[in-house]
Amino acid sequence: MSKSVSKPIKQSEVITQAYFTFLNKHIADVINGDAPHFMELNQIAAAMFVSHAHLTATIQQTMGHHPCHFYDGKIIDAAKKMLAETDKPVAEIANILTYDPSNFSKFFKKITGQTPGDFRGKIK
């Protein structure tokens, strides 16, 4: 009879998984209008019952980047999805994502290297 030995789950893996689960739900809540704005990283850490420093150190250790890197990436992914799948104006998408339209365009370009309008034009 063979025994199955399960590897213990590290706390850092639990925190990392919880962070990504939280981000997915939170971003969906903002898009659906169930949350008024994007939370700051310290607010996310508090909601997860960990310190900001611990969350940052854990995500950096397990994933190799600051938590904001993934947060921004998920926001950009949501924006890209709306740009690709809807005909909503860029300004409306910015508002849905709780950004001022000009700040949204700057944020989008900083992360992707192109404006939201250029992105939409290339995929249509």
Side-chain angles (χ1 to χ4, degrees), residues 36-56:
H37 54 79
F38 287 113
M39 297 168 76
E40 298 288 329
L41 193 57
N42 63 336
Q43 295 171 310
I44 293 171
M48 293 176 57
F49 304 103
V50 297
S51 72
H52 179 275
H54 186 61
L55 178 63
T56 299

Side-chain angles (χ1 to χ4, degrees), residues 40-116:
E40 298 288 329
L41 193 57
N42 63 336
Q43 295 171 310
I44 293 171
M48 293 176 57
F49 304 103
V50 297
S51 72
H52 179 275
H54 186 61
L55 178 63
T56 299
T58 300
I59 300 300
Q60 286 225 226
Q61 177 212 358
T62 58
M63 302 299 295
H65 290 283
H66 192 277
C68 290
H69 170 84
F70 301 103
Y71 197 5
D72 290 347
K74 286 186 173 287
I75 294 168
I76 291 296
D77 289 345
K80 284 179 173 180
K81 185 172 196 253
M82 283 189 268
L83 288 164
E85 296 177 2
T86 74
D87 290 326
K88 291 179 176 155
V90 172
E92 185 179 343
I93 292 171
N95 288 329
I96 290 168
L97 294 172
T98 71
Y99 278 85
D100 171 82
S102 67
N103 289 341
F104 172 71
S105 290
K106 289 175 194 166
F107 168 68
F108 191 94
K109 186 169 185 176
K110 178 181 154 197
I111 303 290
T112 67
Q114 57 190 338
T115 67

Side-chain angles (χ1 to χ4, degrees), residues 28-39:
D29 286 348
V30 169
I31 291 168
N32 296 331
D34 296 331
H37 54 79
F38 287 113
M39 297 168 76

